[in-house]
Amino acid sequence: MRESTALATTEESSTPLAVEMREITRTWPGVVANDHVDLKVRKGEIHALVGENGAGKTTLMNILYGLIRPDSGEIYINGELAHIHGPRDAIRQHIGMVHQHFMLIPPLTVAENIVLGHEPGGINALYNARQAREVIENLSKQYGLPIDPDAKIEKVSVGLQQRVEILKTLYRAADILIMDEPTGVLTPQETHELFRVLRGLVEKGKTIIFITHKLREVLELTDTITVLRRGKNAGELVTRQTSQAEIARLMVGREVLLRVNKMPAKPGPVVLHVEDIHALSDRDLEALHGVSFDVRAGEILGIAGVEGNGQSELVEALTGMRKITRGKLTITQVKDGQAGVTSDLTMLDAREERLVGLGHIPEDRRGSGLVLNDTIEDNLILGRQRWSQFSWRGIVLLLRDIAKWAKRLITEFDVRTSSAEAPARSLSGGNQQKVIIAREFSADPMALIASQPTRGVDIGAIEFIHRRIIEQRDAGKAVLLISAELDEIRSLSDRIAVMYEGKIVDIVSPAASEEKLGILMTGGHVEE
């Protein structure tokens, strides 16, 4: 049964269905991923599949592509019952899937990646580079996707790598393309180029299923929408007849504040001073090439950039998790608008930095933010076990005080759990992130480094996290925000520093256009 229905048109299109999934059910131990889900996608349209994390989107598409088998339900392709037991069956049905994380081999060329496993001449023929190149060139011309067949994958941009993934599916004669979060690592320019490509494919008769959590993209690109909530159909919409607010309401089950409400910043003295920071990568190559900026009390400085340009190394260097080889990092205490004691953090480790007022929301909550097998209580005091409010002389834990502290934070930060003694791994992604935020914010840091604070969390939790970050700013804290989501950077930040190849190339206003930010993010120069 449907949880709610929101079909936003009274007309039933006469266009035949390319894909129809009926009553699809898939369960895991203790979890119903898909609960009698229906999906109808018409030929020659771009159909958005949206929902919160855990709503069942990826499971449903993995079933369509044959990576997972359903417990029950039927799949019809072009009106015919299809038996899809694996990706080979899906490919025979002319279904292709471009995964969120590209399935490419970096040392191979574009042509070698595209024809891999389906080389011209059959599986027993020797690889013919000239023939493969010709095939790719013809395919590129046919679909308006120019690319150099001889270029090494490791040498081309992320946007072009995605083009290679699309050409791989077209080479295998796909008429139905599944795109899983395709814009996650693209610049604004690359996103616009991708949309142009997808519209061109539809004009040539292809059908596209587009999975995304970016509602603005849904409205800009797609024709129709299916919304999933908690494994069930929550509604079907016609894009031109709906809005971001309606889509979000169906996804979450309540009204969601989509815009960040904030007053203009009132910056005070410099709190976090970063001067000419250099640091090495894990391969002992220089990853940071003289990064410098200041973050003031009562402001949010956002770091924008395509992922992989030194943002992770910068966060690790600032938080004592990566050695600074050259440069200086200081934090200054500010009270009542007046600068006080300045501490040099350059050579301190993560624990020592925490003691002088630096908070940190790590980008990998499961890997470095939480101890998943420990209780929520334990995670809420992680790194502060020896503080006087939680232990006697740093030796004996004050269990009653810890329990009282955890109960207060669970209530204040709306952590959805049955018990404070439940393991952190039992929480959803959004609630795990709330535990980290509760722990870091409750320590009353002078400066806060928030790295990918909303990655992989639900739209409702995003609203909550954004509000809390603004509260920190308004309380006079200095906030450094690092995010791969350009919309998040623009809506939260008071200034934006753009990072490219381990350097800050410019610091601009959040009112800067997407085009300008995109040019800076790819190392270009903007004429004023």
Side-chain angles (χ1 to χ4, degrees), residues 20-85:
E20 184 178 10
M21 303 180 78
R22 299 180 185 173
E23 297 282 311
I24 298 295
T25 298
R26 172 68 202 206
T27 60
W28 309 104
V31 178
V32 182
N34 292 144
D35 187 356
H36 297 88
V37 173
D38 294 336
L39 177 69
K40 293 181 179 180
V41 181
R42 301 194 175 277
K43 286 186 179 180
E45 74 171 4
I46 301 178
H47 187 96
L49 183 62
V50 300
E52 295 184 279
N53 292 308
K57 307 183 299 294
T58 300
T59 299
L60 190 66
M61 289 300 96
N62 283 339
I63 288 171
L64 179 58
Y65 192 60
L67 294 171
I68 296 174
R69 293 195 186 187
D71 298 327
S72 62
E74 295 177 328
I75 300 174
Y76 291 81
I77 303 298
N78 298 317
E80 299 287 333
L81 180 64
H83 300 283
I84 300 176
H85 303 301

Side-chain angles (χ1 to χ4, degrees), residues 145-147 159-167 193 196-197:
L145 296 168
I147 192 133
L160 287 178
Q161 287 181 32
Q162 190 169 69
R163 184 171 295 186
V164 174
E165 285 281 19
I166 294 171
L167 282 167
E193 175 63 16
R196 183 194 67 76
V197 167

Side-chain angles (χ1 to χ4, degrees), residues 12 14 52 97 106 150-151 194 231 235 242 249 292 315 342 371 399 438 443 450 467 474 493 497 507 514:
E12 191 65 36
S14 59
E52 295 184 279
M97 187 168 184
D150 298 320
L194 173 65
T242 190
R249 180 177 58 79
S292 299
V315 171
T342 295
V371 180
L399 298 181
R467 188 169 67 246
D474 292 345
S493 303
I507 297 181
E514 272 197 5

Side-chain angles (χ1 to χ4, degrees), residues 17 27 104 151 165 215 232 261 367 375 389 401 431 449 518:
L17 295 175
T27 60
L104 301 173
E165 285 281 19
L215 302 187
K232 297 181 179 181
N261 287 334
T375 66
Q389 69 188 105
D401 292 342
N431 283 297
I449 297 176

Side-chain angles (χ1 to χ4, degrees), residues 224-401:
T224 53
I225 305 161
T226 293
V227 184
L228 298 185
R229 184 166 79 245
R230 297 177 183 175
K232 297 181 179 181
N233 288 94
E236 295 83 30
L237 303 163
V238 174
T239 306
R240 67 177 181 273
Q241 298 174 1
T242 190
S243 64
Q244 286 194 35
E246 184 176 14
I247 301 169
R249 180 177 58 79
L250 287 172
M251 287 170 62
V252 180
R254 61 174 176 81
E255 297 298 330
V256 179
L257 182 65
L258 294 171
R259 296 188 61 84
V260 177
N261 287 334
K262 62 176 185 176
M263 301 295 290
K266 298 177 181 177
V270 172
V271 171
L272 198 63
H273 174 64
V274 179
E275 181 182 331
D276 193 33
I277 294 290
H278 292 250
L280 300 180
S281 70
D282 293 338
R283 296 191 297 166
D284 288 333
L285 301 173
E286 189 164 84
L288 302 178
H289 311 288
V291 174
S292 299
F293 56 81
D294 290 327
V295 190
R296 297 180 174 272
E299 79 161 350
I300 298 173
L301 176 67
I303 301 283
V306 178
E307 288 196 78
N309 277 276
Q311 297 97 317
S312 295
E313 289 84 355
L314 175 63
V315 171
E316 290 174 1
L318 298 184
T319 56
M321 299 166 65
R322 183 177 295 272
K323 183 181 178 182
I324 294 173
T325 57
R326 198 170 89 210
K328 188 175 184 180
L329 171 64
T330 64
I331 188 171
T332 301
Q333 302 299 317
V334 174
K335 188 174 182 180
D336 298 327
Q338 300 298 313
V341 176
T342 295
S343 303
D344 191 335
L345 307 182
T346 312
M347 304 304 292
L348 300 187
D349 62 25
R351 184 185 64 82
E352 293 166 332
E353 287 192 350
R354 183 183 292 269
L355 290 171
V356 292
L358 187 69
H360 175 213
I361 300 171
E363 66 176 89
D364 181 5
R365 60 175 169 266
R366 296 173 67 88
S368 54
L370 298 167
V371 180
L372 294 174
N373 290 328
D374 283 4
T375 66
I376 296 167
E377 277 184 4
D378 290 342
N379 276 281
L380 284 169
I381 63 165
L382 197 62
R384 287 184 276 161
Q385 301 95 318
R386 298 181 184 277
W387 289 19
S388 59
Q389 69 188 105
F390 302 125
S391 68
W392 176 76
R393 295 187 177 181
I395 302 173
V396 180
L397 291 175
L398 305 175
L399 298 181
R400 187 175 298 174
D401 292 342

Side-chain angles (χ1 to χ4, degrees), residues 135-146 163 166-167 169-171 173-175 177 193 196-206:
V135 170
I136 304 311
E137 287 175 346
N138 292 335
L139 202 62
S140 298
K141 290 176 184 176
Q142 181 182 352
Y143 290 102
L145 296 168
R163 184 171 295 186
I166 294 171
L167 282 167
T169 65
L170 297 174
Y171 175 72
D175 291 322
L177 276 72
E193 175 63 16
R196 183 194 67 76
V197 167
L198 296 183
R199 292 187 186 104
L201 292 175
V202 166
E203 288 175 2
K204 292 182 181 294
K206 305 299 182 184

